[in-house]
Amino acid sequence: MATFCRLRSLLGLHKMVCSVSPFYPMHSYSSSSFGRIGFIGLGNMGARMADSLIKDGYEVAVHDINHNVMTMFSAKGVLTEDSPLKVAETSDVVITMLPSSNHVLDVYTGKNGFLSGGSLLRPRLFIDSSTIDPQTSRKVSAAVSNCSLIEKRDGWKAPAMLDAPVSGGVLAAEDGTLTFMVGGPEEAYLASKPLFLSMGKNTIYCGGSGNGATAKICNNLAMAISMLGVSEAFALGQSLGIEASTLTKIFNSSSARCWSSDAYNPVPGVMDGVPSSRNYTGGFASKLMAKDLNLAAASAKDIGFKCPLTSQAEKIFTELCNNGHEAKDFSGVFRYYYSGKDEQ
């Protein structure tokens, strides 16, 4: 019995030692937990996210290939750098918000990228909020984890990376009400929560590296298929003689109720304050939905997963873009693919 207890004790100790993180969680969630925050990618989303950090008292350094937006931030007194590497060399945390997987790879591993200066890094934490495939997220995370910190401090023993794509769009970025879906080491997630809550209102921890990216493409896949189903039903109903406003009442009080019918209705004239009420301007562009569906389809192909609805949805939104509607909100599929009619 004594031998058994001793063995159990040793196994418990072994488990505890093996689970030790490369860094310890930060205990202070004030804005002083990190020094300077670097931000790469100042497009419609990134510029507003960086502004939220600045408004919340963080010292920020930025980089973008658009010189006009760099000038705009410089005029606000924000430090601007001419490469991602230079931003990393002066920052404790670096956040990226970029258009594609290739852009992320270039900013991390390309010429003048974060890792181009060698394996010793200043930033303790890298956060990528781009919508990319989980395979790329995991590849970049592995590259970061193979590096070391120039200065081990505040409990951090090695650099860490989080994939943290967002939901909410430009308006939520403007208002600081984004939702972050976060993958990576849980201790890094806990330490970075104050940063996320400076830019958004919700954070959801999704598990290991790449899981944030996975959550994002799965969310947008479901959203696309839902919008297609609702739009198809409305257009069919109109063709058979029933008004979309009547169908909306039925859907929203029965089993067909969903976000696409009761919060983001695609039929012009049925709901105020949504893209369909303003000629499908604003909102989430069809070209971005096509891109996200492409990511979902490619990820499924990589693991041999059959998903026919993803393939069909990708085909429809790609056709929408090829027909000149790439800048229109994705709910425009009701008008531009199904030839649905406005509600009078």
Side-chain angles (χ1 to χ4, degrees):
M1 181 65 180
T3 301
F4 172 76
C5 290
R6 171 67 174 163
L7 178 60
R8 186 172 63 180
S9 175
L10 287 172
L11 286 172
L13 177 62
H14 173 74
K15 182 178 180 182
M16 181 181 72
V17 170
C18 289
S19 66
V20 169
S21 170
F23 55 88
Y24 299 107
M26 305 287 287
H27 296 295
S28 171
Y29 289 167
S30 70
S31 62
S32 61
S33 295
F34 298 112
R36 179 175 289 149
I37 311 299
F39 207 107
I40 313 294
L42 302 171
N44 287 333
M45 295 292 293
R48 289 164 172 81
M49 292 163 68
D51 274 335
S52 291
L53 290 169
I54 294 165
K55 290 173 186 174
D56 214 29
Y58 286 98
E59 183 183 357
V60 175
V62 301
H63 171 75
D64 195 275
I65 58 172
N66 184 330
H67 293 293
N68 291 332
V69 75
M70 289 275 278
T71 300
M72 181 182 73
F73 272 86
S74 182
K76 299 177 185 178
V78 177
L79 176 65
T80 58
E81 299 284 8
D82 60 12
S83 73
L85 177 60
K86 286 190 176 180
V87 170
E89 288 175 340
T90 62
S91 302
D92 295 319
V93 180
V94 181
I95 301 171
T96 47
M97 186 55 147
L98 301 164
S100 71
S101 299
N102 286 337
H103 289 95
V104 172
L105 285 171
D106 187 55
V107 163
Y108 273 84
T109 63
K111 182 181 178 182
N112 295 319
F114 297 147
L115 309 184
S116 64
S119 61
L120 286 175
L121 306 177
R122 170 174 170 170
R124 289 170 272 167
L125 179 61
F126 295 85
I127 298 172
D128 181 40
S129 287
S130 316
T131 298
I132 63 174
D133 62 280
Q135 294 89 337
T136 297
S137 287
R138 290 169 181 146
K139 183 187 300 182
V140 174
S141 179
V144 169
S145 67
N146 285 330
C147 296
S148 301
L149 288 173
I150 292 174
E151 183 182 359
K152 296 182 174 80
R153 60 190 179 90
D154 296 328
W156 293 72
K157 303 172 83 173
M161 181 179 175
L162 298 171
D163 48 288
V166 302
S167 178
V170 174
L171 288 178
E174 180 82 42
D175 296 338
T177 57
L178 293 167
T179 293
F180 288 85
M181 296 158 266
V182 188
E186 188 171 9
E187 296 93 336
Y189 163 71
L190 293 173
S192 61
K193 239 183 159 182
L195 295 174
F196 293 133
L197 295 178
S198 288
M199 299 178 284
K201 66 175 181 178
N202 294 313
T203 65
I204 301 169
Y205 181 62
C206 302
S209 175
N211 282 10
T214 297
K216 177 63 187 285
I217 62 174
C218 289
N219 179 78
N220 283 15
L221 164 62
M223 184 168 69
I225 292 172
S226 168
M227 183 58 74
L228 289 173
V230 165
S231 295
E232 189 169 296
F234 280 141
L236 174 62
Q238 286 181 335
S239 298
L240 294 173
I242 187 170
E243 292 184 344
S245 56
T246 302
L247 272 181
T248 296
K249 292 174 184 176
I250 294 167
F251 287 2
N252 292 345
S253 58
S254 65
S255 55
R257 183 178 183 179
C258 62
W259 180 81
S260 296
S261 67
D262 75 354
Y264 211 81
N265 197 288
V267 183
V270 170
M271 184 178 290
D272 293 330
V274 294
S276 63
S277 70
R278 49 180 185 266
N279 198 31
Y280 300 106
T281 57
F284 189 63
S286 293
K287 64 181 178 182
L288 297 179
M289 181 57 83
K291 169 208 157 189
D292 290 356
L293 288 167
N294 178 263
L295 290 174
S299 296
K301 184 177 180 181
D302 280 348
I303 60 171
F305 183 79
K306 186 187 298 184
C307 46
L309 294 181
T310 302
S311 300
Q312 187 62 26
E314 181 190 14
K315 187 182 300 183
I316 289 172
F317 280 101
T318 299
E319 181 179 327
L320 210 63
C321 294
N322 291 340
N323 289 336
H325 307 300
E326 66 275 4
K328 295 290 188 179
D329 180 75
F330 80 107
S331 63
V333 71
F334 169 76
R335 174 190 287 172
Y336 302 116
Y337 184 82
Y338 289 109
S339 300
K341 304 296 189 292
D342 295 9
E343 190 86 347
Q344 298 302 319

